[in-house]
Amino acid sequence: SNGTISVSVPMFYRVLGVANTPTTTSDGMALVPAGAFTMGDTLDGESDVSPTNVTVSAFYMDTNLVSYSQWQAVYAYATSHGYGFDYTGAGKPANQPVQMVDWYDVVKWSNARSKQVDLTPVYYTDAGLTQVYTNGHTTTVFANWSAQGYRLPTEAEWEKAARGGLSGQRFPWGNTISESQANYYGDTNDFSYDLGPNGNNSIGLLGGYPYTSPVGSFVPNGYGLYDMAGNVYQWCWDWLGTPYGQPTTINPTGPTTGSLRVCRGGDWDGLADGARCDLRSGGSLSSGTDYIGFRCVRGL
C-alpha cells in the first residue's frame, strides 16, 4: 500500500449538488466538514456544558464504531509487529462493537492501523515525535496533529461529528429519543424526552450479555455516522476537564493534564441522558469495560 485513501461521492449527489450529503472513503470513513459550531447547550442544565463557540478543521471519522472483527484484524498485525496491549478486546458477533479495550490499547491500535496501510502514526512517547507509541503505559502521550494517520477524535471533534450538522439539539437527530433510534436503556418515567420503551433495547438482547447491537443498526446522522448515541461509549483524546476550548477554541485538544480521558456517546446499559450530544463522561485510562469502545478519525 502507498497510503493513498480514495474518496467518493455518489454521482447522483455530485450532479444535483445536494447539501450535507455524506462523503465516504475507501476505508469506511465520512467527512466531517470544517467550521464553527456551538459545543454544549442549555437544554438540561448541566454545569459543565456551557455553550461555547468552537472551530475545528475538516476531518474524516469512521462511519461505524470499530467492530470486533476490525479490531481483531489490526490487533493480529500489531502483535506480530511488536505492539503490546492490556486487553485482547472482546465482542459479540464480529459485526458488533469491540469493547473491553482501555485508552492505552486504542491509542496503540490506532498507530498500528496507520502503519498497516503506510500512513504516518499520530502517537509518540517523546516530544520529538521519533518514538512511535507501541507498548506499555506512558504518563504523557505526544500527538503529531499534522500526521495523516488514524487517531482518536478530540472531544470537540467528537461533538461536532455527533451533532451531524444540526445545532442545539439534544441528540444527533433531534430533541427526543426512542429505542428505534439508538441502543440504550429506556426510562420514560424519569426523562420526558425518552419515548422508550422502558428497559434494555430488544435489539441488544440478541446474543446475550453485554447487550450491544450490530454496528450500523440505526439511521445515521447528517454526516453519515452511525451509533453516535448509544451502543458503547467512545474514547476521545482529551483529558476530562473544564472549560472546553483548551488551550484554544480553534482545534482544541483539551487540558494538558488530568486523571480521566473523555468518553462520549452513551451505551447500551445507560439512560437516555447519557446519549445526549453534550453529555461529558470520563474513563480511567487503564479501564477496559463492556460499555466503552471507540472509533477513529484522521486528518485530510
Side-chain angles (χ1 to χ4, degrees), residues 38-209:
T38 301
M39 195 172 180
D41 57 56
T42 59
L43 293 173
D44 300 299
E46 298 285 344
S47 61
D48 63 344
V49 299
S50 298
T52 302
N53 290 327
V54 172
T55 299
V56 298
S57 300
F59 60 95
Y60 291 112
M61 174 178 266
D62 285 330
T63 57
N64 281 306
L65 296 161
V66 171
S67 68
Y68 187 36
S69 60
Q70 184 181 11
W71 167 270
Q72 288 176 307
V74 176
Y75 181 89
Y77 166 86
T79 53
S80 67
H81 287 77
Y83 287 73
F85 298 91
D86 295 328
Y87 296 89
T88 59
K92 283 163 69 172
N95 66 336
Q96 301 223 9
V98 67
Q99 24 89 9
M100 295 302 298
V101 287
D102 68 19
W103 189 87
Y104 298 109
D105 286 339
V106 300
V107 167
K108 289 178 282 189
W109 186 94
S110 298
N111 273 352
R113 182 180 176 187
S114 299
K115 293 287 283 186
Q116 192 174 26
V117 294
D118 297 330
L119 293 176
T120 303
V122 172
Y123 301 115
Y124 298 82
T125 59
D126 66 310
L129 306 177
T130 63
Q131 302 299 315
V132 175
Y133 183 30
T134 62
N135 278 277
H137 294 178
T138 177
T139 54
T140 305
V141 177
F142 298 89
N144 178 359
W145 297 107
S146 65
Q148 297 298 299
Y150 299 100
R151 58 178 176 82
L152 295 181
T154 65
E155 186 178 18
E157 288 173 335
W158 189 95
E159 187 169 327
K160 185 176 197 297
R163 293 186 178 279
L166 299 181
S167 179
Q169 302 295 297
R170 187 175 277 117
F171 301 104
W173 51 79
N175 276 325
T176 62
I177 188 172
S178 74
E179 290 188 357
S180 66
Q181 295 168 302
N183 184 4
Y184 68 102
Y185 190 97
D187 180 3
T188 60
N189 297 317
D190 290 314
F191 302 99
S192 61
Y193 51 80
D194 183 0
L195 307 183
N198 290 329
N200 284 115
N201 195 318
S202 59
I203 192 174
L205 301 180
L206 298 175
Y209 186 96

